[in-house]
């Protein structure tokens, strides 16, 4: 770029006190108002943070090293940045902002770093795990709308760990998906499958995020849960999990994902269910009725919440492609 | 860790409004008061940022992807996170905070990602570059203390690009250092060497940071400069650069490093200098007198500035190992 084309004030002699406004000035030519707003807030928070803590050079160096490590340990089967976002409470916050839930609908929770896109479409009743050590569990669910009508043909992604607390992708030499499947809801909104009783497990703590947890004297456990993701055009994407009530980590989930409404009591199948669903005697049972919200309702609620939050912050904003940007007109 | 040992309030049903205090609560058991304070501020800023912009899930995903890319393109010879810190103005801010300068001393500026630790110790008068295309330049300097006394035996690290704007580490197949050296100041504080006239260059813009600059409609140029780093026990570490006055990018440095006090006029050697220093006729000349501050003066100034800043922010703090932490006694 020709320096003559730079239409910002001369950048020279930048100090603790004037650096922020000058970085904003040179970033102000970005043509996407949302991106510009986001970067403006990133720069402000980053600089305020450094000023407030009087960030030292050696701490900055340590931080740079940490961020590189988090990136470099990440791979196709491990996302350490999602993990970092999870343990800092950002993931659950983003889910709450992006997927606001009316009272009668099913709450969302953190996606976590272990969802994959290669799970096979399974028939109702399929056994989604090959782990012979797991405690057999029958899962009987429905998916309905806010008015109680069944929703057909919802794509439901399900994933859980094996009985030792590892997702398939954490096992070296993984060839095909295990402990995961995709189902489609029937005309009456039902879907059911066989799996194993979820167990508590530690998030991967052999990397930089694990080191961070140790320094903070935090454990790395997640309470027993099974992941569910619901997709159907016209309905808001629902990323959620069911948790087993009474788990020792129920109130100290390392990634802040537990919600009262997502706790389920682990039951035991009765003789009739044994026969109907062809499961072993004594199999455990999880039953849950999920409620989806339409995309439109969610969008309206999200935008209403956003404008309310902006107003509370004293900011004059408008909605641009569904998200707030400064109202500069 | 036994969940019974978790002495924080139950973490459940976390919302946009209460997630931050709960993350603080579980992080509060960290035993290092400085680390605890830093993480508390990181979490606060991260959450405030997400709340203020109403961060969407897809933006969060994009952000995670970007941070991983920045980590993964980094290597032993490329530090994309330093580059990111540089273009966001964080690096110059940290330098200003950590190395406050009394008026009569030499200003610091950004380290940048191209310093290495393998430069060879060179004798005064050495030619530090093998680039035959560069314009020869004689550099005559001194290093003194605030009272004007010469400082002997200062270790001076020097690095610059070749005439095409590339540091040695950016060239594939680099075997040994080029365009860099370490010198030691003489008894009279002088040090001198032969190099080439610095040229403007673009910071590496083929990675994620380059993409970011493009979206912000910013150029990636740094004005012509030569890096200097000074080390001697008892003196504050000085990381700085000399810039050539009149460079087309003098007022729009991509990394905000230019300071009026570090601009030098490129001269031409006179016949006497030609003979004295054994340089070609018409060689260019850079002269500069550096002034170092003692470690003690810097520490006192840094702590005074820190306490003043904390007071301005209305925070009750104390100094712990030279850096502020909350005063909770």
């Amino acid at each position: 770029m020709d320096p003559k084309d730079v239409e910002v004030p001369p950048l020279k002699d930048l100090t603790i006190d004037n650096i922020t406004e000058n970085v904003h000035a040179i970033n102000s030519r970005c043509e996407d108002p949302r991106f510009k707003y986001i970067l403006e807030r990133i720069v402000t928070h980053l600089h305020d943070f450094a000023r407030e803590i009087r960030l030292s050079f050696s701490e900055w160096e340590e931080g740079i090293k940490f961020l590189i490590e988090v990136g470099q340990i990440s791979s196709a089967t491990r996302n350490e940045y999602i993990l970092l976002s999870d343990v800092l409470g950002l993931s659950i916050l983003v889910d709450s902002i992006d997927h606001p839930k009316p009272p009668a609908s099913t709450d969302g929770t953190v996606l976590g770093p272990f969802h994959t896109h290669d799970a096979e479409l399974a028939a109702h009743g399929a056994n989604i795990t090959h782990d012979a050590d797991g405690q057999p569990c029958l899962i009987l669910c429905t998916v309905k709308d806010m008015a109680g009508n069944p929703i057909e043909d919802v794509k439901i992604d399900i994933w859980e760990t094996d009985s030792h607390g590892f997702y398939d992708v954490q096992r070296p030499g993984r060839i095909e998906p295990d402990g995961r499947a995709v189902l489609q809801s029937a005309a009456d909104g039902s879907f059911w499958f066989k799996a194993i009783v979820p167990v508590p497990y530690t998030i991967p703590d052999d990397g930089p995020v694990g080191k961070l947890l140790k320094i903070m004297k935090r454990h790395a456990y997640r309470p027993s849960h099974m992941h569910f993701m619901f997709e159907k055009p016209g309905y808001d994407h629902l990323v959620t999990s069911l948790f087993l009530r009474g788990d020792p980590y129920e109130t100290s989930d390392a990634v802040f994902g537990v919600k009262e409404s997502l706790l389920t009591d682990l039951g035991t199948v009765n003789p009739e269910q044994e026969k109907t669903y062809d499961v072993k005697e004594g199999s455990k049972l999880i039953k849950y009725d999920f409620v989806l919200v339409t995309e439109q309702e969610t969008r309206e609620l999200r935008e209403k919440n956003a404008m309310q939050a902006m107003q509370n912050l004293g900011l004059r904003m408008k909605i641009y492609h569904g998200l707030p940007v400064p109202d500069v007109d």
Side-chain angles (χ1 to χ4, degrees), chain A:
Chain A
M1 183 184 288
D2 190 320
K4 288 192 299 292
D5 293 340
V6 179
E7 303 141 5
V8 292
L11 300 169
K12 214 190 285 185
D13 286 322
L14 300 177
T15 65
I16 298 176
D17 297 320
N18 71 15
I19 179 71
T20 310
E21 63 198 83
N22 280 284
V23 177
H24 289 339
I26 203 156
N27 284 342
S28 66
R29 306 188 325 147
C30 173
E31 280 164 356
D32 179 331
R34 177 69 182 166
F35 199 95
K36 186 160 91 177
Y37 178 53
I38 292 177
L39 206 73
E40 196 253 343
R41 298 317 300 158
I42 288 176
V43 168
T44 297
H45 281 291
L46 196 62
H47 290 193
D48 281 350
F49 164 70
R51 276 186 287 253
E52 270 166 29
I53 67 158
R54 312 300 290 181
L55 181 60
S56 76
F57 184 84
S58 61
E59 290 170 337
W60 170 87
E61 262 188 323
E62 277 297 304
I64 295 275
K65 215 178 107 197
F66 177 80
L67 293 172
I68 290 180
E69 274 174 32
V70 174
Q72 297 203 334
I73 206 171
S74 295
S75 68
T77 56
R78 175 172 186 158
N79 193 319
E80 192 85 355
Y81 264 108
I82 292 188
L83 215 54
L84 181 59
S85 165
D86 289 353
V87 304
L88 295 181
L90 180 64
S91 306
I92 191 72
L93 175 57
V94 168
D95 183 72
S96 308
I97 290 171
D98 208 32
H99 298 284
K101 302 293 178 196
S105 63
T106 301
D107 277 322
T109 187
V110 290
L111 171 67
F114 295 115
H115 176 252
T116 70
H117 292 278
D118 65 355
E120 280 161 25
L121 187 68
H124 289 209
N127 186 356
I128 71 164
T129 169
H130 298 104
D131 180 4
D133 296 339
Q135 191 176 12
C137 188
L138 173 68
I139 293 101
L140 299 178
C141 301
T142 64
V143 51
K144 295 188 175 163
D145 67 17
M146 294 272 287
N149 305 309
I151 317 178
E152 195 179 356
D153 279 342
V154 178
K155 181 189 169 200
I156 306 137
D157 239 293
I158 298 137
W159 65 108
E160 66 166 340
T161 68
D162 61 24
S163 59
H164 303 279
F166 294 102
Y167 289 96
D168 56 354
V169 292
Q170 294 178 280
R171 294 288 191 189
R174 170 190 194 262
I175 299 164
E176 48 173 21
D178 193 22
R180 57 181 85 229
V182 171
L183 269 83
Q184 275 191 303
S185 58
D188 64 352
S190 70
F191 63 97
W192 66 283
F193 58 97
K194 295 164 191 167
I196 57 172
V197 175
V199 295
Y201 63 84
T202 60
I203 57 172
D205 59 355
D206 57 339
V209 170
K211 264 187 249 168
L212 180 67
L213 290 179
K214 268 181 207 88
I215 296 174
M216 305 317 287
K217 296 180 87 59
R218 282 170 57 177
H219 71 67
Y221 278 92
R222 295 215 65 198
S224 312
H225 64 281
M226 189 179 287
H227 290 273
F228 291 83
M229 187 156 82
F230 297 83
E231 276 175 279
K232 173 160 182 166
Y235 290 91
D236 189 47
H237 195 85
L238 172 64
V239 174
T240 194
S241 294
L242 296 181
F243 297 87
L244 299 187
R245 197 186 308 277
D247 186 281
Y249 301 99
E250 182 182 318
T251 58
S252 64
D253 183 0
V255 307
F256 312 102
V258 180
K259 296 188 176 171
E260 193 60 43
S261 66
L262 301 174
L263 289 170
T264 52
D265 292 300
L266 189 66
T268 306
V269 293
N270 60 35
E272 199 191 315
Q273 287 166 329
E274 262 177 57
K275 228 173 68 183
T276 310
Y277 297 106
D278 185 28
V279 291
K280 280 182 222 156
E281 194 186 329
S283 283
K284 293 298 172 186
L285 175 70
I286 291 175
K287 286 187 74 170
Y288 202 85
D289 298 310
F290 295 92
V291 178
L292 302 190
V293 189
T294 65
E295 232 169 18
Q296 192 187 329
E297 273 175 283
T298 303
R299 188 171 53 244
E300 284 167 8
L301 190 53
R302 187 192 301 123
E303 294 183 6
K304 190 181 138 234
N305 291 350
M307 288 310 284
Q308 186 61 56
M310 298 296 113
Q311 212 179 313
N312 293 350
L313 290 168
L315 300 171
R316 198 175 151 222
M317 309 291 279
K318 61 182 177 189
I319 296 294
Y320 170 85
H321 294 309
L323 292 164
V325 298
D327 187 359
V328 289
D329 299 333

